[in-house]
Amino acid sequence: MFERILIANRGEIALRVIRTAREMGIECVAVYSDVDSAALHTRMAHVAVPLGGKLPSESYLDMDKVIAAAQETGAEAIHPGYGFLSENAAFARKVKEAGLAWIGPPEGAITTMGDKIISRRAMKEAGVPTVPGLVDPVDDVATAVQEAEAIGYPIAIKAAAGGGGKGIRVVRAASEMESAFRTASGEAVAAFGDGRLYLERYLDRPRHIEVQVMFDQHGHGVHFFERECSIQRRHQKLVEEAPSVVLDDEMRAKVGEIALRAGRAVDYEGAGTVEFLWSGGEIFFLEMNTRLQVEHPVTEMITGVDLVREQLRVAAGEPLGYEQDALSIRGHSIEVRINAENPFAGFLPSTGTLHNLRAPGGPWVRLDTAMYRGLEVGLEYDPMLGKLIVWGADRDQAIRRMIRAIQEMNVGGVHTALPAALQVLEHEKFVEGDFDTHFLEGMEIRSPEEYEGFAAVAAAIYRHKLAKRRALGPAAGSREGWAARSRSETTSLVQRAGMEVAR
Ligand code: MV4
């Protein structure tokens, strides 16, 4: 096993890696920009190397600086976290050329999965179900119209270099094709310098389901079941959970097997996520993310496996050492992202100094964050300040626990999206499991004033529903839990949950 690794990242994910490394007796080297000299990852690492610069391009994205930092400090491997250089094939290659281990997948897998046309073709050949459509680029409008007839409307025009929500246009009739095609083409050139487009049947109200996989360097892989990530807005996820309510055990095993087939087809190593669209009981491959994802903790919570530990072990050449049948799901987990955004103003980024921070706690509550009192929240980096994760024996308990944890939490000085997450968790449709990728965008986010009355009513309805649905223990009774609180108590907790920015 490695004795020292470098973490080419910042924020909560850098801390996440440091924590597991420390437990394994591995030392960590942090790198940091000028803005991050007091950041927690800088302070919690064994060694911290200044990269200089304020912009990501001058610091966390500067491959040569990061590799030099590893060499100067005697780190044997680099963990890229997510974002920044994590899915950069050239960086993976440079790391290996520098004689360091890369805690990530092979360069070839990153490249194949980074091109949506090439990955679609590879998946189709491997027998992974893909959305009906083309595996070749379409060069002009006339061809697009012709091909669309065969595929059937509505059609999605996608960019080969896109992914993660960038460069997708919906066409509902042939008459719309010309302008949509031209716009998509222009956008693809501008955004990626690569105008290649392809066509797929557009699935109208899908759910986003993804499967966590892990492969060792000896050709052995396992999956860690699925996560449901449909609660998103503009391709930014807000609430994630595992497992998904729409998969039964048979379908779950099938989807897991398909995800492993996808990984094997590109000789995958390390942790990866295979994304699917679920529609009408069928699943279709969308893309593969060749990194550890933000929402990995919900998988850890239901399987009991530390995914960063597994990443480090397989990157060091160790075999996984267990088979698929050693893994099972226990209970239910939910994650809510703590984004510095104002949900009452269209989720506009919110900045300021964190002058207060009260972390929730108690049984089965996990807070992964790099927040601290005094932190200046600016616009330099991603607005995600951290993640709140809970585990429950079942989905109802996990929902109730998350609501309780959000109500306990106070982030003072900046707005966060927590009030929106709270409203999702209390939404009847969410509780019933009846939602898709359009749920959050279609949801009306209530103001604190409206919510004051609403919360008390919702609490009563929710309590009633739960009691009706199945026999609950004392938690369903009228004397315990958030549901039983008086209206004024509920209101004050809601306020503390960030409905008002405390002064
Ligand atoms: C789709 C789709 C419907 N049909 N493809 C958005 C992210 C990008 N990687 C793929 N995306 C979609 N592709 C077909 N053929 C709907 C989406 C989509 C979506 C997918 C996952 C999670 C959230 C989404 C939000 C809007 C659209």
Side-chain angles (χ1 to χ4, degrees):
M1 183 46 65
F2 311 119
E3 287 178 13
R4 181 177 268 201
I5 63 171
L6 180 140
I7 301 160
N9 216 300
R10 64 184 301 284
E12 70 88 17
I13 191 60
L15 265 55
R16 168 71 193 84
V17 176
I18 290 174
R19 287 182 166 131
T20 286
R22 198 180 279 274
E23 287 174 13
M24 295 172 74
I26 300 167
E27 290 187 350
C28 289
V29 179
V31 289
Y32 63 98
S33 69
D34 283 350
V35 197
D36 279 341
S37 55
L40 282 191
H41 77 283
T42 308
R43 292 190 267 164
M44 276 173 61
H46 293 80
V47 186
V49 179
L51 296 175
K54 278 202 167 76
L55 299 172
S57 60
E58 303 165 329
S59 51
Y60 302 105
L61 287 174
D62 189 323
M63 304 189 210
D64 295 332
K65 275 189 190 170
V66 171
I67 290 170
Q71 289 173 324
E72 284 160 19
T73 54
E76 299 143 83
I78 295 186
H79 193 304
Y82 50 69
F84 294 121
L85 296 168
S86 61
E87 295 183 273
N88 188 313
F91 186 58
R93 181 177 64 243
K94 282 184 177 222
V95 168
K96 287 186 182 170
E97 281 170 0
L100 303 165
W102 168 243
I103 305 168
E107 182 195 345
I110 301 176
T111 306
T112 300
M113 289 303 181
D115 185 307
K116 305 307 156 190
I117 290 182
I118 292 175
S119 65
R120 247 173 88 74
R121 193 179 299 142
M123 293 304 108
K124 222 173 160 173
E125 282 168 10
V128 172
T130 53
V131 188
L134 308 179
V135 289
D136 287 300
V138 263
D139 297 329
D140 56 78
V141 178
T143 316
V145 171
Q146 198 185 334
E147 297 283 3
E149 287 307 323
I151 301 166
Y153 287 92
I155 289 284
I157 306 180
K158 295 188 173 186
K166 278 170 283 176
I168 165 167
R169 278 230 118 60
V170 183
V171 185
R172 301 208 172 261
S175 60
E176 299 170 8
M177 185 63 88
E178 176 153 5
S179 88
F181 191 90
R182 293 194 197 291
T183 314
S185 172
E187 280 176 4
V189 173
F192 316 113
D194 174 356
R196 285 175 306 139
L197 300 176
Y198 66 105
L199 306 184
E200 276 179 14
R201 162 82 59 74
Y202 180 72
L203 306 176
D204 244 314
R205 307 204 71 90
R207 296 173 78 119
H208 177 158
I209 286 172
E210 56 184 37
V211 177
Q212 177 72 55
V213 296
M214 182 83 65
F215 288 85
D216 64 22
Q217 294 178 11
H218 313 279
H220 180 52
V222 295
H223 69 82
F224 295 90
F225 314 102
E226 81 283 2
R227 296 184 285 261
E228 159 78 60
C229 305
S230 297
I231 307 296
Q232 56 84 42
R233 197 186 149 273
R234 304 206 174 153
H235 308 294
Q236 294 302 312
K237 295 164 187 165
L238 182 66
V239 179
E240 299 112 336
E241 61 178 308
S244 166
V245 297
V246 297
L247 301 188
D248 58 20
D249 286 343
E250 190 189 337
M251 186 67 173
R252 175 166 296 119
K254 190 179 139 189
V255 179
E257 205 30 69
I258 289 169
L260 286 174
R261 206 181 303 157
R264 269 183 228 118
V266 293
D267 298 320
Y268 207 80
E269 290 170 17
T273 297
V274 186
E275 289 190 5
F276 297 96
L277 289 180
W278 180 96
S279 178
E282 283 186 274
I283 56 119
F284 305 96
F285 172 86
L286 202 54
E287 49 196 64
M288 182 172 189
N289 298 321
T290 53
R291 61 171 190 274
L292 184 73
Q293 296 204 169
V294 172
E295 58 270 27
H296 77 275
V298 293
T299 301
E300 299 186 316
M301 301 294 261
I302 60 159
T303 59
V305 176
D306 179 336
L307 292 172
V308 173
R309 181 172 191 270
E310 298 309 277
Q311 277 192 300
L312 295 173
R313 287 205 310 111
V314 301
E318 286 184 25
L320 275 172
Y322 48 85
E323 303 295 324
Q324 186 63 47
D325 63 13
L327 299 169
S328 61
I329 296 177
R330 184 150 184 270
H332 201 94
S333 180
I334 303 176
E335 171 178 286
V336 159
R337 298 193 187 192
I338 305 165
N339 294 333
E341 295 167 341
N342 183 350
F344 310 115
F347 292 86
L348 226 68
S350 179
T351 60
T353 304
L354 267 187
H355 61 73
N356 193 16
L357 181 64
R358 185 177 56 239
W364 298 292
V365 174
R366 166 174 169 184
L367 180 63
D368 277 21
T369 182
M371 279 189 273
Y372 59 92
R373 256 177 64 171
L375 172 69
E376 307 267 351
V377 180
L379 298 170
E380 292 90 355
Y381 300 109
D382 190 278
M384 201 190 75
L385 299 174
K387 301 151 355 189
L388 188 49
I389 306 117
V390 301
W391 180 89
D394 59 24
R395 188 167 185 268
D396 284 341
Q397 193 182 65
I399 292 174
R400 292 158 69 95
R401 183 162 287 143
M402 181 60 92
I403 290 168
R404 185 272 286 175
I406 293 174
Q407 288 172 336
E408 264 177 50
M409 184 156 200
N410 182 27
V411 179
V414 289
H415 283 282
T416 75
L418 281 177
L422 186 61
Q423 292 180 34
V424 169
L425 292 155
E426 289 182 338
H427 198 290
E428 185 180 353
K429 293 288 181 194
F430 179 81
V431 172
E432 286 169 1
D434 179 13
F435 54 88
D436 58 44
T437 52
H438 301 289
F439 179 87
L440 185 58
E441 275 156 1
M443 200 178 111
E444 172 196 353
I445 309 288
R446 285 165 205 272
S447 69
E449 297 74 42
E450 278 179 288
Y451 199 74
E452 185 180 332
F454 172 79
V457 177
I461 295 170
Y462 182 56
R463 187 176 60 228
H464 178 68
K465 269 198 154 54
L466 284 181
K468 239 175 46 177
R469 277 231 312 262
R470 59 179 179 75
L472 283 171
S478 59
R479 308 200 67 77
E480 192 223 54
W482 67 278
R485 283 199 183 93
S486 71
R487 180 187 153 126
S488 61
E489 256 188 298
T490 306
T491 302
S492 71
L493 283 166
V494 165
Q495 284 172 347
R496 286 186 226 146
M499 299 289 282
E500 287 184 352
V501 178
R503 285 273 103 224

